[in-house]
């Protein structure tokens, strides 16, 4: 898994690219506080090499909790800026700091 960040010079926005290697998966989405944890809001596109990829534009100078949903099972991003415990979810969430 991987995350890349591209800050825009023209406005306080960061384009975040999520990449998830999941050759056997049928569907991968990103859920987080930036999309109200909606499993249908941010689907990733499956590439020919079996990797799922998607880009989200987020406000800079914020932090965001998120997780991946891979065929209905949650997974965290190993390259996230940090992991934080979430009492509501009863699990750790990945954190992006922009």
């Amino acid at each position: 898994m991987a995350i890349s960040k591209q800050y825009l010079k023209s406005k306080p926005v960061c384009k975040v690219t999520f990449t998830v290697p999941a050759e056997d998966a049928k569907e991968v989405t990103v859920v987080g506080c930036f999309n109200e944890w909606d499993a249908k809001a941010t689907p990733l596109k499956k590439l020919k090499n079996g990797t799922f990829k998607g880009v989200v534009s987020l406000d800079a100078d914020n932090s965001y909790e998120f997780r991946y949903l891979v065929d209905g099972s949650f997974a965290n991003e190993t390259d996230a800026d940090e992991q934080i415990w979430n009492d509501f979810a009863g699990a750790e969430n990945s954190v992006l700091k922009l």
Side-chain angles (χ1 to χ4, degrees):
M1 294 185 224
I3 295 176
S4 65
K5 302 173 188 174
Q6 179 184 7
Y7 292 90
L8 302 182
K9 292 180 181 178
S10 59
K11 51 188 168 180
V13 171
C14 180
K15 287 191 173 196
V16 180
T17 302
F18 298 96
T19 306
V20 180
E23 288 183 31
D24 297 330
K26 292 182 176 135
E27 182 179 53
V28 177
T29 62
V30 180
V31 294
C33 58
F34 52 84
N35 64 10
E36 298 181 13
W37 300 92
D38 183 348
K40 296 180 181 176
T42 314
L44 303 183
K45 184 178 179 182
K46 189 169 189 175
L47 305 178
K48 290 180 181 179
N49 66 3
T51 300
F52 285 80
K53 193 173 190 177
V55 179
V56 177
S57 293
L58 300 172
D59 292 334
D61 300 321
N62 283 312
S63 62
Y64 302 91
E65 290 186 34
F66 74 98
R67 297 184 88 187
Y68 296 117
L69 195 55
V70 181
D71 287 343
S73 298
F74 285 107
N76 282 340
E77 171 59 67
T78 54
D79 290 340
D81 296 319
E82 72 177 308
Q83 305 292 323
I84 189 168
W85 181 259
N86 183 294
D87 285 333
F88 181 77
E92 281 193 339
N93 288 337
S94 299
V95 178
L96 265 177
K97 292 183 177 181
L98 306 177

